[in-house]
Structures are given as C-alpha cells and as structure tokens.
Amino acid sequence: MDEEMWTSTYARLPAETHPHIAATAHLLADRMNLSACPVVLDTLLDRAETRLVSVRDGGNGRAA
C-alpha cells in the first residue's frame, strides 16, 4: 500500500468502527512504505502463477 492510500482512505475511517486505525493512521502511513508486505505478496503471487502454469502444462503442480 502506498502512503497516499493510507492518508486518503484508511485515515478517514471512522474512529467508532476503526479506533486503532484512526488512532495510528499517521504512523501507519509512514511505516507501510517500509513494509515487507508488498514483497511477500509479489512472491506469493509469483509462486502461485508458477504452480498454475505447471499444472496446466501437465506437471505435478510443485514449484521448482
């Protein structure tokens, strides 16, 4: 997630329904740019794609 998404969307969530996000949105915007989540998600999606291609091509469905 980029900082703009945190400030434009998540920081505007109502404190009544999202108290923790509302209280820390300014901190989260700074930290999420340093998060490993995007890298991990890309890795997960790459592995899933590899397995799907392998299964489609008649392999055993295991990534190399």
Side-chain angles (χ1 to χ4, degrees), residues 17-59:
T17 56
H18 301 85
H20 300 294
I21 290 176
T24 60
H26 63 287
L27 299 172
L28 291 170
D30 291 338
R31 295 292 298 159
M32 290 312 290
N33 287 333
L34 304 173
S35 174
C37 290
V39 174
V40 172
L41 179 58
D42 285 342
T43 301
L44 174 68
L45 293 173
D46 289 344
R47 296 280 307 225
E49 180 182 28
T50 299
R51 289 189 69 183
L52 288 171
V53 168
S54 178
V55 168
R56 184 193 67 207
D57 293 343

